[in-house]
Amino acid sequence: MCPRVISDIKRLSNDQIPMSKDDSRMWGGRFNEPTDEFVQSFTASVSFDRRLALADIEGSNAHATMLKHIGVLNSDELTAIEYGLQQIRDEINDGVFTWSVALEDVHMNIEARLTELVGDAGKKLHTGRSRNDQIATDIRLYLREQIELCRQGMRAFQAGLLDLAEREADTIMPGFTHLQVAQPISFGHHMMAWFEMLERDHGRLGDCARRMNQLPLGAAALAGTSYDLDREFSANLLGFDMPCRNSIDAVSDRDFAIEFCAAASICMMHLSRMAEELVLWSSAQFDFIRLPDRYCTGSSIMPQKKNPDVAELVRGKIGRVSGHLMSLLMLMKGQPLSYNKDNQEDKEPLFDTLDTLIGSLRAFADMVPALEVNREKMYQAAQQGYATATDLADYLASKGIAFRDAHEVVGQAVAFAIEADKDLSACTLEELQGFSARIEADVFEVLTLEGSINSRNITGGTAPEQVRFQINAGRQMIKD
Ligand code: ARG
C-alpha cells in the first residue's frame, strides 16, 4: 500500500527554522505588542507537527469540498483552493516549502502559503473550522494510516514466523519454566507462541483504529459552528465512519493516541521478551541459534565477538515506548474540558512511538525468519535436563498409580539419575523397576524426546502434528 498522508518530513528544532516570514500573526487584531521572540519559539509546534502536513492538506481539501457543497464557496474558489493545496503539497514533497516559526504550527504555515498563492479564496478555507478540530482531525488521519503500517509490519513478521515454524516443526528443544528445563517442545511450537502474541497485538491496533475513526471537523473551537456544515459529507470524503457526536469531546480528548501507545507498549513488551530469548539462545552457553551476520555487530576490541545488537536494542526500546504512554497519560490527566494547549505535547511521544514500533517490527520480520537453528544443540539440551520426567509420571499414572504418588516415585528416580550422572532414558530397566514394579520395557518409548512431544497431541499442544495444524490456521488468520 502506498501511504496517502505520510510525510517524510523529519524533526527539526525550532531554531533551524527561520523565525519569520510574515510577522503579522493571525490574531494580531487583539494585541498591543508582538509576541516575544522566545515565546514564539517556545510555543511553536511547526518543528514537529510539520509531519502532519499531508494529512492537514487532505483534511483541508475535504473541508473545502464540503464548503462548496453547502454553497459557502463557489466553484472558482474551490478550484483555486485545490490548486493551491496541490502546489503546497508539491513544495513540501520537494523540500522547498518555506516553514516559519512565526506562523507557529503546520496549519497556519499552510494556510498562509495558500492565501499567498490564491488570494481571498484561501482566506475562506477556515470558515466553520478551528485549529482545534483541525488538529484533532489531522492526528486521526495520520495515526489511522500509520496504524495500518504497524499492522502490516506485524503481518509480515507473523508470515515469517509461520515459515520458520513450519521449517522447524519437528525440531526438539527444551521448553523452560523458571528458565529451568521443563519439558521437551517443538521449536516450531515456540515460534507459534510468538505468532499468537502478535495476533493479539494486531487485533488491539485494529480495535484502536476502529474506535478512533470518527471525524472531529465541525466541532470548530469546542461548541460546533453556526454554519450549516454537512459533517456526514466530510466524514464520508475522509473515510471516517461518522462525525464525532460531541463537539467538546471531539476537540479535547486524545484517548485514541493513549490507546495506541498502550497497544504499542504491549507489542513492544512482547518484542522485548522475544529479543531476550534471541540474545540468550545466540550466546555460546546456549548456542541454539545463529543470528544472521547482517543483524549483528562486532567489538572494537574483542575480535571474537558477534553481538546481537538489534535484538538488544529492541529489548530496550520498550523503555521509551512505555515512557511515551506514561507521558501521554500525565499530559491528559487533570485537563479540564475542552481543548488546552497542553495537547500540543501529544505529538512527539506519539511520533516516536510509531517510529519505534514500525522499526522494531521491520527488524524482527527480517531477522527472525533468517535465523539458523542448531537442531543438534537444542536436542542435546533437551536430553540433559530430565525433560521427560513428567512423561514417566504420566506413564506410571496410566498404569494405575495416582499421579501424586507417581510424581514422588519419579522424583526419586531423577535424584538417582542425577547422582549417576545420566539421563532417565539411559537408566536400565532394572534400575527403573527399583522405583516401581509397574515399570515395563515399554517405558523407553515415553522417555524419548520424540515420544514425549508426539504424545502431546491435543489442541494447542506441542506435538508436531498439532503445530502444523496451527500453522495452517495461522496462514488463514493473516490473510485478512
Ligand atoms: N498546535 C496545536 C496543537 O497541536 C494546534 C491547535 C492550536 N489551537 C489553539 N487554540 N491554540 O494542539
Side-chain angles (χ1 to χ4, degrees), residues 206-218:
D207 294 343
C208 168
R210 257 190 304 284
R211 232 185 316 283
M212 178 178 81
N213 205 30
Q214 298 181 355
L215 173 68
L217 277 183

Side-chain angles (χ1 to χ4, degrees), residues 140 211 214-216 219 231-232 242-250:
R140 280 169 162 87
R211 232 185 316 283
Q214 298 181 355
L215 173 68
R231 298 189 64 209
E232 280 75 16
M242 58 188 264
C244 296
R245 283 187 297 264
N246 183 297
S247 61
I248 301 169
D249 176 50

Side-chain angles (χ1 to χ4, degrees), residues 109 220 244 394 399 478:
N109 269 271
C244 296
D394 288 340
K399 302 264 171 177
I478 64 169

Side-chain angles (χ1 to χ4, degrees), residues 258-374:
I258 298 175
E259 188 175 350
F260 168 73
C261 287
S265 296
I266 294 176
C267 181
M268 288 302 299
M269 174 275 292
H270 283 153
L271 298 185
S272 180
R273 299 186 67 186
M274 298 169 196
E276 168 64 2
E277 295 191 317
L278 294 173
V279 171
L280 276 176
W281 293 345
S282 62
S283 69
Q285 287 66 33
F286 273 81
D287 195 21
F288 283 3
I289 58 166
R290 250 156 249 142
L291 294 170
D293 281 359
R294 65 180 190 282
Y295 271 90
C296 296
T297 62
S299 156
S300 56
I301 174 169
M302 296 166 283
Q304 85 283 13
K305 294 271 285 191
K306 176 175 157 186
N307 297 328
D309 291 40
V310 173
E312 291 172 272
L313 272 175
V314 171
R315 183 175 62 188
K317 279 180 188 288
I318 171 71
R320 64 200 291 161
V321 171
S322 60
H324 294 326
L325 169 62
M326 289 307 130
S327 63
L328 288 187
L329 282 168
M330 292 309 104
L331 166 66
M332 206 74 239
K333 170 191 174 296
Q335 271 195 52
L337 294 176
S338 60
Y339 175 85
N340 302 285
K341 184 79 164 181
D342 313 41
N343 284 349
Q344 182 165 294
E345 290 284 307
D346 64 355
K347 289 166 203 63
E348 289 169 290
L350 180 62
F351 295 158
D352 189 65
T353 299
L354 281 164
D355 293 344
T356 306
L357 181 60
I358 291 171
S360 304
L361 286 167
R362 175 183 165 169
F364 271 22
D366 191 24
M367 175 176 78
V368 174
L371 59 82
E372 232 180 84
V373 174
N374 190 344

Side-chain angles (χ1 to χ4, degrees), residues 59-93:
S60 287
N61 261 319
H63 186 63
T65 307
M66 185 275 299
L67 289 177
K68 154 78 177 45
H69 169 71
I70 62 168
V72 169
L73 295 177
N74 63 36
S75 311
D76 289 348
E77 287 165 334
L78 175 61
T79 308
I81 289 173
E82 283 172 345
Y83 158 80
L85 290 174
Q86 180 55 46
Q87 171 76 21
I88 293 168
R89 185 185 288 132
D90 292 344
E91 289 175 5
I92 290 171
N93 282 333

Side-chain angles (χ1 to χ4, degrees), residues 39-54:
V39 174
Q40 279 194 31
S41 167
F42 189 73
T43 56
S45 55
V46 62
S47 58
F48 51 85
D49 67 14
R50 296 182 319 146
R51 202 165 143 156
L52 298 172
L54 300 187

Side-chain angles (χ1 to χ4, degrees), residues 395-415:
Y395 170 86
L396 289 173
S398 77
K399 302 264 171 177
I401 298 180
F403 184 80
R404 272 288 149 248
D405 297 332
H407 186 285
E408 175 65 25
V409 168
V410 177
Q412 290 163 7
V414 168

